[in-house]
Amino acid sequence: MELAFYLSGLVAVLATVGVITGTSPVHSVVYLIVSLIAVALVFFALGAPFAGVLEIIIYAGAIMVLFVFVVMMLNLRADAERTPPLWRQPIYWLGPSLLALALLAALVALITAGDIEMAIDGELITARAIGLTLFGPWLMVVELSAILLLAALVTASHVGRRSDPGHSSTPRNAPNRGDTP
Amino acid sequence: MNGVPMEHGLVLAATLFSLGLAGLMLRRSMLFVLMSLEIMLNAAGLAFIVGSTAWNQPDGQAMFLLVITLAAAEASVGLALMIQLYQRFHSIKLDNVSRMRG
Amino acid sequence: MMTVATVLSCLLPLASTLALAFSGERLGPRASTLIGVGSVGLAALATAWALLAYSGASQSVTLWTWVSVGDFQPTIGLTVDRLSLVMMGIITGVGFLIHLFAAWYMAGEAGITRFYAWMNLFVFSMLILVLADNLLLLFLGWEGVGLCSYGLIGYYYQDEANNWAAFKAFIVTRIGDVFLALGMFLIFVEIGSLDIGQVLDQAPRVWAEGSATANIAALLILGGALGKSAQVPLHTWLPDAMAGPTPVSALIHAATMVTAGVYLIARLNGLFLLAPDVLLLVGVIGAVSLLLAGFAALAQTDIKRVLAYSTMSQIGYMFVALGVGAFDAAIFHLTTHAFFKALLFLSAGSVIISCHHEQEMGKLGGLWRQLPVAYAGFLVGGAALVALPLVSAGFFSKDEILWQTMAADRAGLLIAGLLGAVLTGLYTVRLILGIFHGEPGSHHARHPEPGKNLFTHHLPLIVLAVLSTFLGAWLYPGLGELFPAAPGEAADTGHTLLQVLATGAVIAGLALAGWLFLMRRQWLHSVVEKGAGARCWTLLNRAWGFDALFKWGLVRPWQWLVHGLRCDFINRGMNLLALIARVGNAGLVRTQNGRVRTYACVMVLGVTVILISLVLTRGGGT
C-alpha cells in the first residue's frame, strides 16, 4: 500500500511538471488527466476510495472533458506559447520558479517541524459515513454549494454566449458583462 | 510503524501546490493558468484527504467534495471567460488584456 | 491770489490726467488733444497770473497734512518763491508750446489719450517737484516724473527695443533715487525735519562745515541728482530714452525732467555749501560729463541722439556752475537751455515727421529749401547752443557760467568749459549740415512733406525761436537774493577778456567745423573708414563704452549671482521630500501594470516571506 502511495505520488508530480512545462495544450490536458488519476490512486492507497472515485468521475471525467472541448473548439495550437521562446530566457522562469521553490521549502519545513507522529494505516472511510456527515451536520454547506453551482451555471451561460458582432469591435464593454453574479 | 506517515502525504500536497503555483506564475496562456488553478485546488483537496484519513474522520472528505464543487464552478466560469476572450482578441494570452491596468 | 493761481496750475494737469486716464477709449483723438493741450495751456495762464501777482516774498500754502506721527508731520504744502516761479514758467510755458506741437506731431498716432494722460501727469509731477515745501513731497514729484518718463519712453510699446529703453531709463534713474531717499533719511535722522526751509535753516547749526555727515548727506543727494540729470556715471539711459516720441524728448529729456537734478542742488544749496568738497565734485562731474558727451555727440548718426548728448553736455555746464557756487548762473542756463533745446528737439521732430520718421543723418540732407521753418528753428537753436555772441540766449547764460568759473579760480573747469564750447560748435555744425545741406540720402528726404499747420506747427517753433535769442535771456529775472553770493559778484576783473576768449572758442569751433565738414569732407570720411580712426569713431559712437562697462561690470555679474541663487540649495533640500514622493509614486505606478502574472508573483512573494519568517521564528522560539 505504501508502495502504491509513493509510486502514484511520483507519477502525479511528474505529470504535473509535464502540465506546466508543456507547449501543446492538448498534451498538457492529457498530462493533467494523468496527474488527476494518479492523485485518485493516492486516495485509494490512503483508504479514501469514495474520494478517489469522485476524483476520477468529476475531475478527470467531467472537468477535463470540458477543457478538452474548449481546446478543440478554439482550435488552440502550440503556437499560442511559441513566441517568445520562453525556456531560452531564464529571466522569464527563473524568478517564479525560485519563488515557488522557496514556498515549497517553507511549507515542507513547516510540515516536518511539527513532529506529527501520525501514520495513515489505510483504514477505509465508507461512502455511508461521508453521506451521513454531509447530510447531517454539513447540510447547510451542501445547500450553499448547490447555490454556488447554480451561480456558476448562470455565469458560464451568460459569459460564454456568443457576443454580438456589433459589440465585438468594442471590447471595452466585455469586462462589465462578465461579472453579473 | 505501519502505513504512510502523514507528513509524506502533506509534502506531496505541498509539492503539487507549488508546481501549480509555478505554472500560474510562469504561463501567459489563460488555458494553462486555469489548469494550474485546477492543480492547486486538487492539491488542497489532497491535503484534506490526508488529514481525513489520518484522523479517520469523514469531515475531510466532505470538505474534498466542496473543493471539487468549487473546482467545477471555477472551471466552467473560467472557460467561459476564456471563450469570450478568444472571441474578442483572437488570442488567450492574458497579457493582451492588461489595458485597464487593473 | 498767487497761491490760488499756483494751486490751480498744479491741479489743472492733474484733473486732465484723471479725466483722460479714466475715460477709457471713449474720448476721440480730437477731444483728447483738446483736453490734454488745453489743460496745460490753462496751467500756463495760471502761472502767468501767479507771476503777475508775485509780490517778491516767498509764500507757502499748506493743502493738508499728509501724515501725522508725533513730531513728524510732512505736509502737502507748496512754496512759491522766485526759483519755483522760474521753474513753473518753464514747465508750463515751454510745456504748453511742446504740447501744442505734439498736437501736430502725434496726429494720427494710436493711443493719443494715453499720450496726453502721461504728458499731463508729467507736468503735474514736475510742478509738485518744484513747488514742494518739503523733501517728501519733492520725492513724490521726483518719482512721478520718473514714472512718466518710463511710460512715455515706452510709448511705442510694440517695438521691444523701446520697452528695454524704458526699463533702462527707469532702473538707472531708480539707482539715483535710492541715493536720494537715503540722503533724505539721513537728513531726517540728523536734523529731524524734512521741511526744506527748516533743513536749510538747521543744517549749519547741526553740521560743521566740511563735517563727514554733511559730506555724506550731500553726496547722497548728489547721487539722486546725477541719476535724474544724466550725468556721469548714471548717464547711459538718456540716449536710449530717445526712443520716445520727439515731444517727449523735448519736454522730459531736454527742458524739464533732466534739469531736476540741477534744481535739487540749487534748492538745497545751503547743504552743499556745508560740504565744499562735494560741491567741487559736482563741478568736476559736470566738466567730465560735458566733455564726454560733447565728444560722443560728434560720432552719432541719429539726430535725436546728437541732441541727447548735447543735452547731457549742457547740463554738465549747469553742474559746473553749481560746482563753483554760482547757483544763479546754473538756473539761468537751465532756463535758456529749456528754450533752445526744446526748439531744437521740436525742429528735429518737424524734420522727422516731414521725412516719414527718418532720423538717420545719413539718410537726410539738402532739406533747407523744403523745410524752411525747421531750418530756421535749427539755425536759431543751434546758434543758442553754440552760444553765438550777443544775439543768442545761450551766450549770456554760458558766459555767466564761464565767468563765475573763472572768478572762482577753477582753471580746470574753465578749460573744460572752453573746450566744450569748441566741441559744441563742431557737433552743431555737423548736425545742421547733415540734415539740411548736402545731397538727400533717401527717397523720403528728397520728397519731404513740410508741416503746414500755422497754429500747432509754426507757432511753437516761432515762439521758442524768439525765446532762444537774446530776448529769452532778458526774460530771466535773476534770483540773486535767493542764493548765497556767487564768486563772480565780488570781482569784475577779466570779464571782458573772458568774453573775448569764449567768443574765440565758439568761433574757433565753428571755423574748425566749417573747414572739416565743408572743405575736408572726403578726408574725414577716409579717416573714419579704417584703422585707428574707425576705432575712435566706434568708441565715440558708443559714448566711451559706458554701456558695455556697466553690462560686464554690473549687470552680468548680477545676473550670474541671481542665476546662482535661483537654484536655492536650501530649497533643494526641501524639494528632496517631494522628489522622494514622486519617485515612490513612479515606482508604485509601474507595479500597476495590469498583468495578472505579476500580481500573482508578488502575492506569492508575500506569502513566502510570511511563511519563511514563521519558520524562522518557530525555529528560534523552540
Side-chain angles (χ1 to χ4, degrees):
Chain A
M1 197 183 77
E2 287 89 350
L3 190 66
F5 171 81
Y6 290 115
L7 271 180
S8 311
L10 189 65
V11 169
V13 170
L14 290 178
T16 308
V17 171
V19 171
I20 63 170
T21 56
T23 50
S24 158
V26 180
H27 290 180
S28 288
V29 171
V30 174
Y31 270 129
L32 186 52
I33 293 170
V34 171
S35 164
L36 292 172
I37 291 172
V39 172
L41 285 177
V42 166
F43 290 169
F44 286 124
L46 289 176
F50 182 62
V53 169
L54 281 180
E55 173 97 2
I56 290 174
I57 294 174
I58 297 179
Y59 248 128
I63 297 177
M64 291 327 290
V65 164
L66 209 57
F67 270 88
V68 172
F69 274 165
V70 170
V71 169
M72 284 159 58
M73 194 172 91
L74 299 185
N75 201 14
L76 294 174
R77 297 214 177 102
D79 59 1
E81 285 285 324
R82 204 174 54 199
T83 52
L86 269 178
W87 315 113
R88 303 274 165 74
Q89 290 160 305
I91 192 166
Y92 284 109
W93 54 268
L94 202 60
S97 305
L98 285 177
L99 212 54
L101 270 177
L103 185 68
L104 178 62
L107 283 173
V108 170
L110 273 173
I111 290 164
T112 51
D115 292 332
I116 303 175
E117 300 280 340
M118 205 176 264
I120 300 165
D121 48 7
E123 190 179 330
L124 288 183
I125 295 173
T126 57
R128 180 173 178 273
I130 299 165
L132 281 175
T133 313
L134 269 179
F135 291 95
W138 289 67
L139 188 59
M140 194 63 195
V141 180
V142 174
E143 297 290 339
L144 284 176
S145 61
I147 293 175
L148 175 68
L149 282 173
L150 179 65
L153 175 70
V154 172
T155 308
S157 66
H158 180 75
V159 173
R161 80 186 194 287
R162 193 164 197 86
S163 56
D164 291 342
H167 284 276
S168 63
S169 60
T170 56
R172 220 177 304 153
N173 299 329
N176 294 336
R177 219 178 286 164
D179 44 17
T180 312
Chain B
M1 187 164 177
N2 193 15
V4 182
M6 187 184 175
E7 287 95 334
H8 291 190
L10 289 178
V11 166
L12 177 63
T15 311
L16 288 176
F17 185 84
S18 298
L19 281 171
L21 200 59
L24 180 74
M25 291 187 290
L26 281 172
R27 309 304 296 251
R28 38 183 82 183
S29 164
M30 190 170 176
L31 180 75
F32 284 87
V33 169
L34 285 176
M35 287 198 292
S36 300
L37 281 172
E38 296 297 331
I39 292 167
M40 288 161 71
L41 280 168
N42 192 36
L46 176 58
F48 277 118
I49 295 293
V50 168
S52 162
T53 50
W55 275 286
N56 271 325
Q57 294 289 326
D59 299 67
Q61 302 210 7
M63 205 64 211
F64 174 72
L65 260 172
L66 285 180
V67 169
I68 284 190
T69 315
L70 192 65
E74 181 257 353
S76 61
V77 174
L79 286 170
L81 277 172
M82 196 171 88
I83 291 168
Q84 196 63 243
L85 184 71
Y86 189 78
Q87 280 178 357
R88 286 178 192 277
F89 293 94
H90 298 286
S91 160
I92 53 168
K93 290 193 178 175
L94 279 175
D95 291 354
N96 289 346
V97 286
S98 63
R99 180 161 34 181
M100 276 183 70
R101 301 203 164 270
Chain C
M1 286 306 280
M2 191 183 80
T3 53
V4 173
T6 310
V7 172
L8 206 60
S9 73
C10 259
L11 290 184
L12 277 167
L14 178 65
S16 159
T17 301
L18 294 176
L20 288 170
F22 291 107
S23 72
E25 294 294 315
R26 281 186 286 281
L27 290 174
R30 189 177 290 269
S32 297
T33 308
L34 198 64
I35 293 175
V37 178
S39 66
V40 180
L42 290 176
L45 283 180
T47 305
W49 183 20
L51 273 171
L52 290 178
Y54 181 61
S55 58
S58 76
Q59 288 189 19
S60 290
V61 52
T62 301
L63 296 180
W64 69 87
T65 302
W66 197 339
V67 63
S68 181
V69 182
D71 293 338
F72 180 55
Q73 288 176 327
T75 57
I76 297 198
L78 309 178
T79 298
V80 189
D81 58 9
R82 233 171 232 266
L83 177 58
S84 305
L85 275 175
V86 168
M87 293 302 287
M88 273 174 74
I90 294 170
I91 295 161
T92 55
V94 177
F96 169 64
L97 292 173
I98 293 171
H99 272 73
L100 201 60
F101 186 81
W104 176 79
Y105 186 92
M106 299 301 290
E109 297 271 2
I112 290 284
T113 313
R114 181 164 54 93
F115 176 78
Y116 281 111
W118 277 120
M119 287 288 267
N120 287 345
L121 183 63
F122 171 79
V123 170
F124 167 71
S125 305
M126 195 69 204
L127 286 173
I128 288 294
L129 197 163
V130 299
L131 286 171
D133 71 346
N134 65 66
L135 285 173
L136 205 58
L137 190 61
L138 184 144
F139 195 66
L140 177 75
W142 188 271
E143 293 297 321
V145 293
L147 175 70
C148 296
S149 164
Y150 165 76
L152 285 165
I153 294 169
Y155 177 72
Y156 299 116
Y157 59 87
Q158 278 145 340
D159 188 350
E160 197 188 342
N162 294 346
N163 292 317
W164 286 117
F167 282 157
K168 187 175 176 184
F170 197 69
I171 292 167
V172 174
T173 53
R174 218 53 37 198
I175 294 171
D177 294 354
V178 171
F179 285 121
L180 178 57
L182 290 176
M184 277 166 52
F185 300 156
L186 185 63
I187 287 172
F188 181 69
V189 167
E190 292 278 323
I191 299 180
S193 170
L194 284 177
D195 188 277
I196 292 172
Q198 283 183 22
V199 168
L200 293 182
D201 209 30
Q202 301 281 336
R205 277 173 235 165
V206 179
W207 291 325
E209 187 173 324
S211 72
T213 327
N215 274 333
I216 292 171
L219 263 180
L220 289 170
I221 300 274
L222 173 62
L226 290 185
K228 201 56 104 186
S229 291
Q231 296 296 291
V232 177
L234 295 178
H235 64 287
T236 54
W237 62 273
L238 187 60
D240 289 338
M242 295 298 126
T246 308
V248 173
S249 309
L251 179 61
I252 300 183
H253 306 121
T256 51
M257 187 189 85
V258 288
T259 57
V262 179
Y263 166 80
L264 182 70
I265 295 179
R267 180 58 93 186
L268 296 176
N269 55 72
L271 201 62
F272 281 86
L273 288 178
L274 288 177
D277 297 339
V278 179
L279 198 59
L280 179 61
L281 181 67
V282 173
V284 171
I285 287 177
V288 170
S289 296
L290 86 87
L291 287 179
L292 285 186
F295 276 113
L298 278 176
Q300 303 302 316
T301 55
D302 185 322
I303 58 177
K304 283 179 73 180
R305 286 177 85 91
V306 175
L307 291 176
Y309 281 112
S310 122
T311 302
M312 271 166 61
S313 175
Q314 297 304 310
I315 296 173
Y317 274 108
M318 299 175 208
F319 270 63
V320 167
L322 294 172
V324 297
F327 302 104
D328 194 10
I331 299 296
F332 187 18
H333 195 54
L334 190 159
T335 312
T336 56
H337 173 256
F339 294 149
F340 68 73
K341 194 48 70 65
L343 172 64
L344 282 169
F345 263 113
L346 294 191
S347 304
S350 172
V351 170
I352 288 169
I353 286 290
S354 298
C355 296
H356 302 274
H357 288 280
E358 187 56 70
Q359 54 192 65
E360 280 296 315
M361 226 190 282
K363 296 188 177 167
L364 298 168
L367 290 169
W368 67 278
R369 204 183 292 275
Q370 284 105 321
L371 304 175
V373 182
Y375 185 48
F378 257 102
L379 281 184
V380 176
L385 181 61
V386 302
L388 209 62
L390 298 176
V391 293
S392 71
F395 169 74
F396 295 98
S397 56
K398 208 181 272 186
D399 170 65
E400 183 72 17
I401 290 176
L402 292 176
W403 159 235
Q404 300 286 2
T405 315
M406 183 173 148
D409 224 9
R410 302 282 189 208
L413 299 183
L414 180 64
I415 291 170
L418 289 174
L419 190 56
V422 177
L423 287 172
T424 311
L426 271 173
Y427 66 69
T428 308
V429 170
R430 175 172 173 268
L431 179 68
I432 292 176
L433 287 180
I435 299 175
F436 292 103
H437 295 276
E439 286 301 310
S442 68
H443 173 75
H444 289 322
R446 237 166 263 126
H447 305 284
E449 294 173 12
K452 289 197 174 61
N453 195 311
L454 183 66
F455 187 59
T456 58
H457 178 257
H458 292 348
L459 183 70
L461 291 179
I462 291 168
V463 172
L464 284 172
V466 170
L467 290 174
S468 297
T469 62
F470 57 96
L471 293 171
W474 285 357
L475 268 184
Y476 184 68
L479 304 172
E481 77 275 20
L482 202 66
F483 293 124
E489 272 171 34
D492 200 23
T493 49
H495 197 165
T496 322
L497 177 69
L498 179 80
Q499 278 178 337
V500 171
L501 210 60
T503 308
V506 169
I507 289 174
L510 291 179
L512 184 62
W515 179 69
L516 271 180
F517 297 121
L518 291 176
M519 311 290 187
R520 306 298 300 269
R521 200 166 189 81
Q522 295 303 323
W523 175 77
L524 211 56
H525 273 296
S526 64
V527 163
V528 299
E529 282 290 306
K530 57 187 183 297
R535 272 198 292 280
C536 197
W537 167 269
T538 312
L539 183 67
L540 289 184
N541 189 21
R542 293 179 186 163
W544 305 91
F546 271 94
D547 272 334
L549 185 70
F550 287 161
K551 185 179 171 186
W552 291 105
L554 292 172
V555 177
R556 284 301 164 89
W558 181 253
Q559 282 178 337
W560 289 328
L561 189 67
V562 168
H563 274 283
L565 288 178
R566 190 166 64 175
C567 37
D568 186 352
F569 52 92
I570 297 173
N571 198 21
R572 280 282 171 87
M574 298 299 173
N575 284 343
L576 199 62
L577 288 174
L579 191 71
I580 289 170
R582 205 174 303 146
V583 168
N585 172 40
L588 289 177
V589 160
R590 192 149 304 171
T591 66
Q592 194 77 3
N593 62 0
R595 288 164 198 256
V596 182
R597 284 184 305 127
T598 319
Y599 299 166
C601 287
V602 174
M603 221 165 78
V604 172
L605 183 70
V607 170
T608 313
V609 166
I610 290 171
L611 278 180
I612 288 176
S613 60
L614 253 170
V615 171
L616 292 180
T617 49
R618 271 272 182 97
T622 50

